[in-house]
Amino acid sequence: MTMAQQPRQMRQWLLIRSSQPENVYGRFAGEILKSEGFNGFDLVDLDAESLPELTADDVAILTRCFLHKAEIEQLLAMVRNGARLICLQPSWTLAAQLGWKSRKRVTYPGWIDIAEGYPGSGTPIQAHVPIAEYDPPDQNATYTIAARAVRSDWTNADCPAAVVQSVGRGKIALFFYDLPEAVARIRFGNPDLASHLTSGQWGWPHASDLFDGHVDERVINLPQADFHGQFLAKVLTDIAAHPQPRLWYYPDAAQRSAAVFQSDGDLSEPQQFAALSDCLLQHRGAGTFYLMAQTKLTPSCVADLRAKGHTFGPHVFGVDGEDDLYFRFPQRLDEETQLFKQRFGEPSRTIQCHYAPWMGYMNWLADHVRHGYRLLFAYLSIPPQRLNTYMCGSGRPIRFYDRDGTTYPCWQQPVISYDDSSLAELMGNNPAPLLEKFEANLQASINRTHSAFGILSHPVSFCTYSRPYMEACFDRLTAEGVPICNGDQWCDHLERRDAVRVRTLVNDDNSLTCIVSNLTGRQTLMIPLATGHAPQLDGATRVRRLEQDYLFIPLEGDGSEIHLNIPAVPKAATQGPST
């Protein structure tokens, strides 16, 4: 093979500048990208490294930061030569270089109206962060508006929130808001409400207290955080010179959603555990049960239920009044974790604590991580009027990310539907309205958003009032082919998916060679397609998802490197209205 025939590496770059306070959510962009299946980005901290050399095969994402004039000139020169660039909250200096005229104002709090042809279009969604207002370049510029800025009353701010612009032989997308910070604020709530009681009914803080007046009731039924991530993914896919391989959210192409089931054991009777277990098994499902220190289950009962596919962990009781809660919870977490190990062996890597206490913003994350917990169910859509809503703007997991830039090796898994004593009358006497909301979420997830469902039921609640509702939910999930898994199965999938690395080579005939490493078990690779194009590849299927046609390629691996040769794939044309 001659040098001219050597394949070219298609690189994906995530550019941050960690010393700048404005860039505190720069690294979180990487978590959002991996959540959307882009597992091939290389992170470059411009405080320690120079700008990478971007070629016409490359795509880069510049997170919110300030660049030196020479860096801006270098970056734009690479775009003019064919590179593709996404700028998240570009500086006014960079925007001016592209002809955008700052109004010297912002829309705040910002709302985003995503254009038709992108995921999330149809209803404005919250950003919580400012949207910088710009007037467009002169008539010589070629650009499309991917999203418009909207005020909190949903009136048009008459300026774009995101645009895609042609620059020389390349393309650049400008998001005039800090998308990663927007996702963090939607998912983790308002840090100013940390450790406050806001529900009007609970006597101790919950994670839900962070969302009072924060999540707008007009859009609480939408997975807003997912839409921001899917919007970014679609813009990336559209502007890139070559199809961008990504991982599907779930192991198999046919799977369009997932349910992860947990059960707070409280002091339920053994026969109540058995009844809930039997119902899950009848629906080919499994759950994770959290046991109080005074649980009525014996080690032999736990062993029997484990053999049926369920997992177990402690249900830490840490509510003794605000001061005791603040100081004693980490100690209780340690004590009850150790007690569980002594009685029942290794606990689940996931946890839900009794009464779901949550002090601070992310104060207790380090304590959970230290004890080996890798997924938390603390974010429940409570109080009751939030049941079956996307309080956190998602039903899918993402790693916790703090305001100082700390990424915790622990997943936030929102709980969408649950039973509780406060819901006994509503759920037991007339569950139909709740089931209608669940069904609406399920259909939206299957057909559009592909979000997941965290579900909680107590064995005692299941056996006394909630069985009609829960069993109907299980029936609908099973009928739609949505698997019901326990917390550890879900956590295993997340960590296996997160570990996968995808690199891509571009051959002279524009075919692709995808190199997949660190793959264990099953995953599905997605290659975006142009309308009407159907390349032949053994085992692959053509599927329309996320406003795009994709080639879905099933993968199974044991950790060894996999090389996939993908025939030349025409790229889909950029969608969205032109100016």
Side-chain angles (χ1 to χ4, degrees):
M1 181 179 287
T2 67
M3 291 300 293
Q5 296 173 315
Q6 289 290 335
R8 311 180 303 275
Q9 185 165 0
M10 182 179 76
R11 300 294 296 270
Q12 297 171 317
W13 305 94
L14 180 64
L15 310 178
I16 69 169
R17 185 154 253 158
S18 60
S19 67
Q20 295 181 357
E22 293 80 5
N23 194 245
V24 69
Y25 289 97
R27 290 182 188 273
F28 190 54
E31 297 300 317
I32 297 169
L33 289 166
K34 293 189 85 172
S35 177
E36 292 301 319
F38 293 101
N39 286 35
F41 273 81
D42 294 310
L43 186 139
V44 175
D45 189 343
L46 298 177
D47 283 333
E49 304 174 65
S50 300
L51 276 170
E53 289 294 327
L54 307 181
T55 73
D57 297 310
D58 296 345
V59 62
I61 296 179
L62 176 68
T63 56
R64 186 188 179 192
C65 65
F66 294 101
L67 301 179
H68 295 288
K69 181 180 178 181
E71 291 174 316
I72 293 175
E73 292 174 350
Q74 181 184 356
L75 199 55
L76 295 183
M78 290 187 283
V79 174
R80 292 188 187 97
N81 286 329
R84 312 304 167 100
L85 177 67
I86 294 175
C87 297
L88 305 178
Q89 190 78 75
S91 69
W92 57 88
T93 306
L94 193 158
Q97 289 287 315
L98 295 165
W100 292 90
K101 305 173 183 66
S102 174
R103 293 180 180 175
K104 304 177 179 64
R105 294 195 303 268
V106 298
T107 298
Y108 180 71
W111 285 72
I112 310 298
D113 186 9
I114 297 173
E116 185 178 354
Y118 296 95
S121 65
T123 301
I125 59 174
Q126 292 177 278
H128 295 293
V129 298
I131 304 172
E133 296 186 11
Y134 284 90
D135 287 319
D138 59 35
Q139 295 180 351
N140 293 325
T142 301
Y143 67 92
T144 60
I145 295 176
R148 296 184 181 276
V150 176
R151 302 183 185 95
S152 56
D153 62 359
W154 288 8
T155 58
N156 192 347
D158 195 31
C159 60
V163 299
V164 175
Q165 184 171 346
S166 295
V167 180
R169 294 191 288 118
K171 288 184 181 294
I172 189 165
L174 303 174
F175 286 71
F176 294 118
Y177 69 103
D178 191 349
L179 184 146
E181 182 176 0
V183 172
R185 286 182 174 271
I186 292 169
R187 292 209 58 137
F188 305 127
N190 182 358
D192 292 340
L193 296 177
S195 300
H196 286 288
L197 304 178
T198 69
S199 70
Q201 58 184 313
W202 307 101
W204 58 92
H206 290 83
S208 66
D209 288 311
L210 296 163
F211 295 86
D212 184 63
H214 182 73
V215 57
D216 193 293
E217 297 298 323
R218 292 172 294 178
V219 290
I220 198 169
N221 292 313
L222 298 178
Q224 299 185 83
D226 293 349
F227 283 157
H228 281 284
Q230 290 168 350
F231 177 44
L232 173 63
K234 182 66 165 66
V235 171
L236 189 161
T237 298
D238 284 349
I239 73 167
H242 305 286
Q244 302 291 295
R246 58 191 288 203
L247 296 176
W248 179 231
Y249 302 128
Y250 306 110
D252 299 311
Q255 186 176 345
R256 293 174 289 170
S257 183
V260 53
F261 185 82
Q262 58 152 117
S263 180
D264 295 353
D266 290 358
L267 295 177
S268 302
E269 299 293 333
Q271 63 268 27
Q272 293 170 334
F273 282 94
L276 181 50
S277 166
D278 289 345
C279 186
L280 286 168
L281 295 175
Q282 288 165 10
H283 292 85
R284 300 188 297 277
T288 297
F289 294 88
Y290 301 109
L291 307 182
M292 300 187 77
Q294 300 82 13
T295 183
K296 297 180 180 181
L297 284 187
T298 64
S300 62
C301 288
V302 170
D304 180 61
L305 289 169
R306 275 177 168 155
K308 296 177 178 179
H310 308 301
T311 58
F312 290 82
H315 195 41
V316 177
F317 187 17
V319 176
D320 284 332
E322 184 175 359
D323 289 340
D324 280 342
L325 174 63
Y326 187 89
F327 293 108
R328 282 274 291 160
F329 179 82
Q331 183 179 348
R332 289 281 180 87
L333 185 65
D334 176 64
E335 292 170 349
E336 297 201 26
T337 298
Q338 299 308 318
L339 177 62
F340 183 94
K341 289 180 178 179
Q342 292 167 14
R343 295 184 64 190
F344 303 112
E346 280 300 309
S348 168
R349 289 176 295 145
T350 73
I351 195 168
Q352 173 63 276
C353 295
H354 190 51
Y355 292 155
W358 192 259
M359 292 288 288
Y361 186 58
M362 296 188 184
N363 295 21
W364 289 340
L365 258 297
D367 297 299
H368 285 88
V369 169
R370 184 168 58 254
H371 290 295
Y373 297 114
R374 293 294 178 263
L375 183 148
L376 307 187
F377 290 106
Y379 287 69
L380 293 89
S381 291
I382 52 179
Q385 59 265 31
R386 292 183 185 158
L387 190 71
N388 285 334
T389 69
Y390 291 106
M391 183 185 75
C392 301
S394 180
R396 288 173 35 221
I398 203 165
R399 282 206 174 94
F400 283 97
Y401 192 91
D402 213 338
R403 289 178 295 167
D404 62 359
T406 300
T407 304
Y408 291 96
C410 186
W411 304 94
Q412 178 216 41
Q413 175 57 61
V415 175
I416 304 300
S417 196
Y418 66 100
D419 58 26
D420 182 82
S421 58
S422 62
L423 294 164
E425 183 176 351
L426 177 65
M427 191 170 286
N429 293 339
N430 184 23
L434 296 178
L435 288 169
E436 288 177 7
K437 289 188 69 175
F438 182 86
E439 178 68 17
N441 287 343
L442 178 60
Q443 291 305 315
S445 178
I446 288 170
N447 296 315
R448 185 186 185 199
T449 68
H450 309 296
S451 194
F453 295 87
I455 302 177
L456 160 64
S457 178
H458 304 72
V460 62
S461 301
F462 180 81
C463 290
T464 54
Y465 66 85
S466 71
R467 181 168 190 150
Y469 171 76
M470 286 293 169
E471 196 159 25
C473 292
F474 298 160
D475 287 344
R476 292 299 302 124
L477 291 166
T478 303
E480 294 289 356
V482 177
I484 305 169
C485 59
N486 64 47
D488 294 271
Q489 290 169 329
W490 186 235
C491 195
D492 286 344
H493 162 64
L494 301 179
E495 295 189 346
R496 285 195 301 267
R497 180 177 182 268
D498 186 75
V500 176
R501 171 77 170 169
V502 179
R503 293 181 292 128
T504 307
L505 303 179
V506 181
N507 303 306
D508 279 357
D509 61 356
N510 281 328
S511 64
L512 305 178
T513 300
C514 291
I515 304 171
V516 181
S517 54
N518 300 331
L519 171 69
T520 55
R522 293 199 316 276
Q523 298 292 339
T524 295
L525 192 69
M526 304 162 60
I527 308 289
L529 297 174
T531 300
H533 188 75
Q536 299 299 311
L537 193 68
D538 288 344
T541 57
R542 184 191 182 93
V543 182
R544 185 162 185 84
R545 302 272 168 83
L546 303 170
E547 305 287 348
Q548 178 88 47
D549 286 345
Y550 286 93
L551 188 69
F552 271 47
I553 305 169
L555 301 175
E556 188 145 8
D558 59 4
S560 303
E561 196 168 81
I562 298 173
H563 289 239
L564 293 169
N565 295 315
I566 313 296
V569 180
K571 216 175 68 62
T574 301
Q575 298 187 45
S578 61
T579 56

